[in-house]
């Protein structure tokens, strides 16, 4: 009775090791595409979890999931590839001052840019007017930014201190799945009318 369990665990570890190796090969060969697809997956999973686990929806809003998924594919993955690559080139290493500087730049500069692009993208893809998009940004960007601080400051400390640069976006996307539950919820709620 123990053998099938041991074989099953060994087989699972072997399979995971194989998949990890394949992921790294693809990442080395096509980093931008792999990071975009990883973000696509993370944003899809985060939105589905938001709809089913948080909002308790009976039916999935596939258009909403599509908007979140394509945001990950078209913006989050590519911009993260270039932004975090830039940070790593400009501030190499994992010394504490470097780590805190990267976290600060990410949260003070990049976070509001990311949030503005996120709310704009959702608004445009939902067919909202410019006034509606601006109202959404005014209403929800401060909450998104400060909510991000509670989650991403410790997450990015780990990211910049311990995660190799080429794995950075994979780590972020794994963490992003949980954050995307919050982001999807706030991004898809109606902005108050003025």
């Amino acid at each position: 009775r123990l053998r099938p369990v041991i074989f099953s665990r060994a087989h699972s570890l072997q399979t995971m090791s194989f998949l990890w190796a394949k992921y790294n090969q693809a990442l080395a060969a096509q980093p931008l595409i792999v990071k975009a697809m990883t973000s696509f997956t993370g944003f899809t999973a985060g939105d589905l979890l938001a709809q089913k686990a948080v909002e308790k929806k009976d039916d999935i809003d596939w258009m909403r999931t599509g908007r979140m998924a394509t945001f990950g594919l078209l913006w989050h993955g590519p911009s993260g590839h270039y932004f975090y690559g830039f940070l790593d080139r400009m501030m190499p290493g994992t010394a504490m001052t470097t780590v805190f500087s990267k976290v600060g730049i990410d949260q003070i500069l990049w976070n509001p840019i990311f949030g503005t692009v996120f709310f704009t993208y959702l608004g445009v893809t939902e067919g909202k007017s410019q006034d509606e998009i601006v109202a959404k940004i005014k209403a929800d960007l401060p909450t998104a930014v400060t909510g991000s601080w509670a989650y991403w400051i410790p997450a990015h400390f780990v990211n910049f201190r311990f995660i190799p640069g080429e794995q950075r976006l994979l780590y972020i996307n794994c963490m992003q799945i949980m954050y995307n539950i919050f982001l999807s919820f706030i991004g898809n709620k109606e902005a108050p009318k003025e």
Side-chain angles (χ1 to χ4, degrees):
R1 207 160 169 73
L2 289 177
R3 269 189 193 192
V5 172
I6 292 169
F7 175 75
S8 174
R9 284 187 184 160
H11 182 69
S12 294
L13 289 173
Q14 187 178 22
T15 301
M16 292 304 293
S17 180
F18 172 79
L19 292 174
W20 180 248
K22 288 297 182 189
Y23 177 84
N24 281 308
Q25 285 175 350
L27 185 61
Q30 296 288 331
L32 186 61
I33 292 170
V34 170
K35 290 173 185 178
M37 292 306 296
T38 305
S39 291
F40 172 86
T41 303
F43 273 80
T44 300
D47 183 64
L48 292 172
L49 286 167
Q51 289 190 52
K52 294 307 263 181
V54 176
E55 299 168 43
K56 309 283 189 214
K57 290 187 169 197
D58 291 328
D59 296 320
I60 293 172
D61 180 346
W62 290 107
M63 290 300 291
R64 169 182 153 170
T65 301
R67 287 189 292 273
M68 293 293 291
T70 56
F71 177 80
L73 177 73
L74 300 173
W75 172 259
H76 185 263
S79 68
H81 169 76
Y82 290 112
F83 176 72
Y84 294 111
F86 172 78
L87 273 185
D88 287 339
R89 280 190 312 280
M90 295 297 110
M91 292 185 267
T94 58
M96 293 304 277
T97 53
T98 302
V99 169
F100 285 118
S101 296
K102 287 180 177 180
V103 171
I105 290 168
D106 181 82
Q107 289 303 297
I108 294 168
L109 298 176
W110 185 246
N111 182 356
I113 292 168
F114 173 85
T116 301
V117 172
F118 175 73
F119 290 125
T120 301
Y121 180 86
L122 289 186
V124 167
T125 57
E126 290 171 358
K128 298 211 169 158
S129 70
Q130 182 177 345
D131 289 341
E132 290 172 310
I133 293 169
V134 169
K136 177 70 173 172
I137 291 169
K138 285 180 182 178
D140 290 335
L141 184 62
T143 302
V145 168
T146 56
S148 173
W149 293 343
Y151 188 78
W152 283 111
I153 289 175
H156 276 311
F157 174 82
V158 171
N159 179 24
F160 295 124
R161 180 80 172 153
F162 302 109
I163 306 298
E166 64 275 3
Q167 301 298 332
R168 205 171 299 294
L169 205 59
L170 175 62
Y171 167 80
I172 290 168
N173 278 310
C174 289
M175 298 300 293
Q176 188 82 33
I177 290 171
M178 295 309 295
Y179 183 70
N180 281 349
I181 295 170
F182 165 73
L183 202 56
S184 178
F185 178 75
I186 196 170
N188 289 289
K189 74 178 185 67
E190 288 295 317
K193 304 286 186 224
E194 290 186 18

